[in-house]
Amino acid sequence: MSGDPPAARPTVPPPLADSLAWAGDGQAHLRGLMTRMGGDALTAPSLLAGWTRAHVLTHVARNADAMRNLLTWARTGIETPAYRSVAARDADIEAGAARSADEIRADVVASSDRLADAVRAMPARAWSARVRTAQGAGIPVTAVPWLRAREVWIHAVDLDVGASFKDLPIPMRRVLVADVVVHLERRPGCPHVRLEESRTGQVLEFGPGPAGTDGSAPADLGTVRGRAPDLIAWLLGRPFGKGLRDAAGNLPGPLPSWL
């Protein structure tokens, strides 16, 4: 997010080397949080409605296996879906969340290690392949490490054990914002928003312009101003700090769900 006029959005996915580094750092960050949590802490609610911390960690582990499947698809040329089905994914998370804290921790570690092994096994030519996400979208396989980086950093915050979006690498913040606003712009009811980072003055605009595609005037939230971590939290539908304000000085209203 740069002064006036708004800066160009970063490229999503970012360069592969950046994604791999952010994914590795995010996995280490999440592991550290996880190992400092007592066994009883895993049964406490997370920031995600209806999910305990055990659900979040199990989801992170199954996501690692899903990303490994996509890398296997790219490496072998044999279609290997991320998940067998949405229903199977949900059932695996629900069942996995009922395990002991030690089993869940071991699963998170082992699954992330398997994913790291799959990255190392990728020949250079395989990184030019295309695969499909669980939602059916075709993507370059170079996006997989970015999806994993996004997953581990966001869900580290969702554990609600002291992590925040301040922990994200600063360059990753700009890419995450660019990624999220692209998703938001596809959602019905997305308003026009001008984000302003209060520390740097950097600006990013998204949502419908002065007129909607059907000629109607879209909702306009005007400027939402705050520090980058709070802007990210608001965009993602997570709790944000009191310093975030809209043009009228009020807390900004909720956005459509980004995913």
Side-chain angles (χ1 to χ4, degrees):
M1 295 174 298
S2 149
D4 189 17
R9 297 177 188 177
T11 300
V12 182
L16 180 60
D18 291 344
S19 294
L20 289 170
W22 295 338
D25 290 346
Q27 289 177 165
H29 175 61
L30 186 138
R31 281 192 194 189
L33 294 170
M34 177 184 70
T35 56
R36 291 192 293 272
M37 293 164 57
D40 292 344
L42 268 66
T43 61
S46 73
L47 292 182
L48 299 178
W51 272 16
T52 65
R53 292 166 177 160
H55 285 90
V56 173
L57 290 172
T58 301
H59 169 60
V60 168
R62 298 291 69 77
N63 173 265
D65 288 337
M67 297 301 100
R68 181 169 62 96
N69 286 343
L70 296 183
L71 294 182
T72 300
W73 181 348
R75 180 174 54 81
T76 65
I78 300 170
E79 183 171 344
T80 312
Y83 299 100
R84 289 171 291 150
S85 67
V86 173
R89 166 192 173 275
D90 293 346
D92 286 345
I93 293 170
E94 198 60 41
R99 297 172 297 173
S100 71
D102 286 345
E103 288 176 300
I104 291 172
R105 290 192 187 97
D107 185 21
V108 172
V109 171
S111 59
S112 65
D113 286 348
R114 290 193 295 268
L115 178 56
D117 289 342
V119 169
R120 286 189 288 269
M122 286 282 285
R125 59 173 176 75
W127 287 111
S128 63
R130 291 186 66 83
V131 294
R132 284 194 309 277
T133 66
Q135 294 74 35
I139 59 169
V141 74
T142 50
V144 168
W146 165 248
L147 297 180
R148 180 60 178 174
R150 192 179 75 183
E151 194 82 7
V152 291
W153 283 105
I154 292 174
H155 288 317
V157 175
D158 289 333
L159 289 174
D160 196 21
V161 290
S164 81
F165 293 109
K166 293 178 183 178
D167 301 325
L168 270 68
I170 291 175
M172 183 182 169
R173 296 177 187 175
R174 294 189 69 239
V175 181
L176 180 58
V177 168
D179 194 5
V180 173
V181 300
V182 166
H183 286 84
L184 284 170
E185 287 174 324
R186 297 171 182 159
R187 295 290 185 265
C190 178
H192 176 250
V193 184
R194 181 180 185 271
L195 300 177
E196 182 179 337
E197 210 285 326
S198 56
R199 185 177 62 86
T200 64
Q202 293 179 330
V203 170
L204 183 147
E205 291 191 35
F206 70 94
T213 55
D214 61 355
S216 63
D220 192 338
L221 290 185
T223 298
V224 175
R225 190 171 188 269
R227 299 294 293 268
D230 288 328
L231 290 170
I232 291 169
W234 177 64
L235 291 169
L236 294 171
R238 268 65 174 186
F240 53 86
K242 295 179 180 179
L244 196 67
R245 290 291 186 270
D246 63 18
N250 302 315
L251 295 176
L255 292 166
S257 175
W258 72 288
L259 280 181

